[in-house]
Amino acid sequence: MRIFIAGFGTVGQGLAEVLDSREIFFKKRYGDNVKIVGVMDSKTYVTDPEGLAPMDLVSRKAETKRVGSRTYTDALEVLDSVDYDILVEVSPTNYETGGQGLKNIVHALECGKDVITTNKGPLAIKFGDLIALARRNRCKLKFEGSVGGAMPIINLCHDNLVGEKIQSIRGILNGTCNYILSKMDSGQPFEQALKEAQQLGYAEADPTGDVGGYDSACKVVILANSVFGRNVTFSDVSITGITGITEEAIALAKSRNMVVRLIGEVTDTKLEVAPRLVPRGHPLAVTGTLNAAQILSDLAGPITITGRGAGRLETASAILSDLISVLDDREE
Ligand code: HSE
């Protein structure tokens, strides 16, 4: 049960903190069997087959901006340099090519490792191929944190609603846009609200992906493929972001007791991200950086969930649940 963490930004560090805080839980459940044997950030890495202390990694990163003392040019060589069982891939997302994250995931699956990821780009671009690769190599590929952060939408649909016919999912899948739209509703200008969302650590490094609707579109693709069994990619989604939303539009919605929200929608035939009018007080009219989703299925009817869509510990919470599920399967 050796873990390699690829990516040591907000989410990777959050995971290290969570693993440290759950040390007793892990010991009770799995004995001394779970350890981090390797970590890399964008330039450096550190490995130790005996296990690395999570909080030492966090401190070193805070002090030196690097997680390891050794630099690298080829991430795949680093992955090959130590024996591990589970790759946690949390490097920065790339919506266009899948970036290094995609290469890391493919490499790990090809080598027979289980993979847990929150990295949206690789999943949105190559979902079908990655699932097929994982199946061929009898590996697990888990990605709860890639949609809705701590809001447990993927595993809810896969586990609790297994056997249901899910008819539609509509939801707020981007905290940055929701924050901006909520603040505009209280009279704040777009640019100032975006700056605040960046300061809160919600916006992507390049926030065009958030406000342009691309981040929500990635999540729509992940839901369509994993919950609806579709075989779609990013370019199949009809995307309208929130950059065209004026203060006048917000005021008009307000005068009708409505709010504007960026809604992602998936059905068997629809894939869409667009700003929509939502009645004030409706379960999807959540404020701030919250995410929310309404799942409609044939037996259960509508189920609404809401939760924190991003954040250091919140996203690590989703990884933790995937990790425990993979570890439990390995124990059997
Ligand atoms: N930038 C994303 C958001 C982060 O604002 O929701 C979580 O995917």
Side-chain angles (χ1 to χ4, degrees), residues 263-276:
I263 303 287
E265 188 165 0
V266 193
T267 69
D268 278 336
T269 52
K270 196 171 185 182
L271 286 177
E272 198 168 300
V273 173
R276 297 270 178 243

Side-chain angles (χ1 to χ4, degrees), residues 120 173-176 202-204 210 215 219 309-310:
K120 296 159 274 185
L173 304 173
N174 183 274
T176 301
Y202 261 68
E204 300 296 316
D210 294 296
D215 178 79
K219 293 163 178 167

Side-chain angles (χ1 to χ4, degrees), residues 51-311:
L52 296 155
M55 291 316 287
D56 287 355
L57 298 166
V58 174
S59 310
R60 191 179 316 135
K61 181 77 180 181
E63 281 157 22
T64 67
K65 306 264 179 279
R66 295 167 165 223
V67 72
S69 51
R70 285 175 283 177
T71 55
Y72 69 89
T73 47
D74 185 345
L76 304 188
E77 270 176 20
V78 176
L79 289 178
D80 287 340
S81 70
V82 63
D83 281 332
Y84 65 96
D85 305 295
I86 303 166
L87 174 70
V88 178
E89 217 301 325
V90 288
S91 66
T93 202
N94 179 321
Y95 302 118
E96 277 148 35
T97 64
Q100 187 60 43
L102 177 58
K103 292 181 190 158
N104 293 343
I105 294 171
V106 168
H107 188 70
L109 292 174
E110 279 173 345
C111 295
K113 319 291 185 187
D114 291 328
V115 174
I116 297 166
T117 188
T118 57
N119 199 332
K120 296 159 274 185
L123 293 170
I125 293 169
K126 291 279 177 198
F127 190 89
D129 292 349
L130 293 176
I131 292 290
L133 181 59
R135 279 209 188 111
R136 257 197 322 275
N137 291 310
R138 296 175 189 281
C139 304
K140 297 260 162 12
L141 173 60
K142 305 276 287 176
F143 44 88
E144 176 61 61
S146 64
V147 182
M151 183 176 79
I153 186 164
I154 306 270
N155 293 332
L156 172 67
C157 293
H158 285 180
D159 299 337
N160 300 68
L161 298 179
V162 63
E164 296 262 349
K165 170 77 191 105
I166 296 183
Q167 292 156 340
S168 65
I169 299 181
R170 294 181 78 228
I172 290 166
L173 304 173
N174 183 274
T176 301
C177 288
N178 209 61
Y179 186 85
I180 294 171
L181 293 171
S182 306
K183 287 289 170 176
M184 285 177 82
D185 191 49
S186 323
Q188 216 178 75
F190 183 101
E191 287 303 332
Q192 193 188 332
L194 172 58
K195 220 171 256 168
E196 285 181 16
Q198 286 175 301
Q199 280 157 4
L200 287 171
Y202 261 68
E204 300 296 316
D206 174 3
T208 330
D210 294 296
V211 296
Y214 310 118
D215 178 79
S216 297
C218 278
K219 293 163 178 167
V220 158
V221 168
I222 296 168
L223 291 173
N225 290 330
S226 68
V227 176
F228 291 76
R230 296 185 64 181
N231 182 17
V232 294
T233 182
F234 190 62
S235 52
D236 298 313
V237 189
S238 154
I239 309 170
T240 312
I242 64 163
T243 46
I245 303 290
T246 58
E247 284 165 29
E248 290 72 30
I250 298 274
L252 188 63
K254 211 170 180 174
S255 71
R256 296 181 185 171
N257 208 23
M258 307 274 233
V259 292
V260 179
R261 291 292 179 262
L262 185 69
I263 303 287
E265 188 165 0
V266 193
T267 69
D268 278 336
T269 52
K270 196 171 185 182
L271 286 177
E272 198 168 300
V273 173
R276 297 270 178 243
L277 285 171
V278 179
R280 213 174 274 279
H282 185 278
L284 289 186
V286 292
T287 54
T289 53
L290 282 176
N291 281 201
Q294 272 199 331
I295 303 159
L296 183 66
S297 67
D298 60 343
L299 306 177
I303 293 174
T304 307
I305 49 174
T306 180
R308 294 191 182 150

